[in-house]
Amino acid sequence: MQKIKNIAVIAHVDHGKTTLVDQLLQQSGTYADHQEVQERAMDSNDIEKERGITILSKNTAITYGDHKINIIDTPGHADFGGEVERVLNMVDGVLLLVDAQEGVMPQTKFVLKKAIGFGLIPVVVINKIDKDGSDPERVLDEVFDLLVALDANEDQLEFPVLYAAARDGYAKWEMEDESKDMIPLFDAIIEKVPYPVGSPENDTQAQVFTLDSDNFVGRIGITRIFNGKVKKGDEYLLVKADGSKTKSRISKLIGFKGLDRIEISEAEAGDIVAIAGFSDIDVGDSICDKSNPVALDPMHVEEPTLSVIMSVNNGPLAGQEGKHVTSNKIQERLEKEMETNIAMRMEPMGDASFKVSGRGELQIGILAENMRREGFEFMLARPEVVTKEENGVKMEPFEHLVVDVPEEFQGVAIEKLGKRKANMTLLTPMPDGTIRLEFEIPARGLIGFRNEFLTDTKGEGIMNHSYLEYRAYTGVVVSRTPGALVSMDDGEAVAFSIFNLQSRGVMFISPQEKVYSGMVIGESARPGDLDVNPLKGKALTNMRTSGTDEAVKLVTPRKITLESAMEWIEEDELIEITPESVRIRKKSLDANERKRNARNKKNSK
Ligand SMILES: Nc1nc2c(ncn2[C@@H]2O[C@H](COP(=O)(O)OP(=O)(O)OP(=O)(O)O)[C@@H](O)[C@H]2O)c(=O)[nH]1
Ligand SMILES: [Mg+2]
């Protein structure tokens, strides 16, 4: 029987997980000579590469001495917390990375809490010790205090600690040790992470934690084998969360080696392999012995906290840029997403619209971004938090928020967050002269806050947040103050009128861009919406003769991205998303109707 270790690498965003996995792949000699590999090799999909963040958990395998180590790299961003939760039950240990300067951050708490909940003993890796301002001892204290606060047991409090610079390829047991290579970390994994329990002699039990597909064999489930063996060509039972069972034969069995996948004929308890042959295989399903099927516990992840209504584009420019524009197509795509993404939910709302729920704006935004790249066209409304009722009390999600600001911005940060119903729990002066403020805040209060915060702190503030728990609803939270500049005509925007409108606020559009009545073309400098005309040209003769046209200098418009739009829009606005454009519009395109609605709203208050 092969000696196997299964680990997940977990941490707050950017603390160096994927970079560490690079080095483990590199230094274990997993790559073939001359194999060309990119930096952060595990971040393999397009959006991950573009943004330099991990979105999906992915597994790889290396050989170290006589051991096989299966490693799962996980995302650190709070919105993808479900990706961490779904893999923690598949491993027997975790490497918890903590940035030696930033220390324990909101998502460090979230992932460690989950790991502790699964009974795992973390191997703590204090990373980026090369950084100026790093303070490994302070960070170690923070980790210890956190474990105590999380009610860790005695074994867990005895966690091993290493100091590392993943980027520079070394880890060591003591700060004084020589900075050489990753061998101390390999040794820590071998010594400190327990072997898988379960036996190849038992009846087969395996669980799917990732779904994949292959043009030739169809759906593939990446599974952890907990007991028994799986053999190519043999028949097994697939047991779903609802208890339904289907019998099928394994048509292809795939093993992992570095970035490669290799066909194998058999694998046994403790290992992680990919299985093809079950046409309706889903994340969380069990693959069991056909005569004695004992299903594994279905996966549990935290419920979504944020939802957005996605609907068919019905604006004047609808259908011009997208390939898939119908309600049926959108529904099909969303249903497919829900099969693999166990942290998201989708609910048809009638009226060609769907409620899509997830952990945050980024998670929903990435789904929308993937869809537009696939040729979809649709609209999104303002994100709303998912409230629920407990014993007759309305509850809403709260987040743990940490902001780091230069001292001079401390006041404005506290003031603005106060308006958003944040409750300050901690104020810590940091060694680099900045102030760290910690808050508990309703998730609602964070919608649209990032932009304002960056402006208020002249781009120097850093904010991080992560899901805390549901608490009683807190009443009204302030939202965007500036109004919208709304086009009152259809056509192509004209440079000269954009120039004239610049004094009214910040423009979102450039000359020649298509606009329509009811489309938002800029942010007004004042509260309250303003109907404006971006099509009003100057008579041509004038243009040629006046000479003053030299002065028509246009300010670069603010670029509307999917996520900035999600942060920015109000309840009466929508985002129109196509493969080529992201536009903001009023829900009601008719100016008179908008005025009527506004009046009614005011009267009802
Ligand atoms: N100075 C320094 N920078 C590092 C070190 N390790 C990683 N980085 C840098 O930190 C940044 C983030 O690294 P990643 O490996 O993508 O971090 P991650 O934890 O995988 O990020 P997410 O998956 O998005 O949560 C990159 O710019 C790395 O080059 C280190 O030891 N020292
Ligand atoms: Mg990563």
Side-chain angles (χ1 to χ4, degrees), residues 46-66:
D46 286 348
I47 301 184
E48 289 182 325
K49 280 188 218 155
E50 282 165 30
R51 303 197 185 198
I53 58 168
T54 305
I55 295 169
L56 301 169
S57 285
K58 289 176 234 66
N59 62 297
T60 182
I62 62 175
T63 317
Y64 181 73
D66 56 353

Side-chain angles (χ1 to χ4, degrees), residues 84-111:
V84 187
E85 293 180 73
R86 81 176 160 87
V87 302
L88 282 178
N89 204 20
M90 304 294 136
V91 294
D92 309 297
V94 290
L95 302 187
L96 174 76
L97 268 62
V98 191
D99 183 303
Q101 183 204 355
E102 283 189 3
V104 165
M105 294 297 273
Q107 194 65 0
T108 317
K109 291 191 187 175
F110 181 86
V111 295

Side-chain angles (χ1 to χ4, degrees), residues 538-579:
K538 207 174 173 188
L540 268 181
T541 44
N542 254 348
M543 280 278 245
R544 288 206 197 91
T545 54
S546 72
T548 54
D549 279 348
E550 303 285 301
V552 179
K553 286 239 170 62
L554 295 184
V555 181
T556 317
R558 181 192 294 169
K559 195 168 156 43
I560 299 294
T561 65
L562 218 155
E563 276 136 46
S564 71
M566 276 170 87
E567 284 226 324
W568 190 83
I569 63 168
E570 281 295 334
E571 225 176 327
D572 64 338
E573 291 158 347
L574 293 168
I575 317 170
E576 180 183 352
I577 297 156
T578 81

Side-chain angles (χ1 to χ4, degrees), residues 78-83 301-311 334-335 337-349 353-368 371 380-388 397 470 566:
D79 283 30
F80 310 122
E83 288 291 301
V301 300
E302 299 276 357
E303 289 293 313
T305 51
L306 200 76
S307 65
V308 170
I309 302 291
M310 183 182 283
S311 54
L334 289 175
E335 280 167 354
E337 184 72 21
M338 300 310 132
E339 287 168 1
T340 56
N341 202 332
I342 57 169
M344 291 186 95
R345 300 275 179 279
M346 185 278 277
E347 193 188 334
M349 305 293 285
S353 69
F354 307 90
K355 186 190 249 182
V356 179
S357 311
R359 291 283 171 86
E361 287 152 311
L362 184 61
Q363 189 182 32
I364 296 170
I366 295 281
L367 169 60
M371 287 177 67
L380 289 182
R382 183 182 207 261
E384 300 287 341
V385 297
V386 177
T387 56
K388 54 185 184 188
Y470 268 83
M566 276 170 87

Side-chain angles (χ1 to χ4, degrees), residues 395-414:
M395 309 284 282
E396 66 173 326
F398 270 66
E399 301 264 321
H400 171 215
L401 168 72
V402 173
V403 305
D404 290 300
V405 288
E407 207 176 343
E408 68 261 38
F409 302 123
Q410 178 185 336
V412 65
I414 294 176

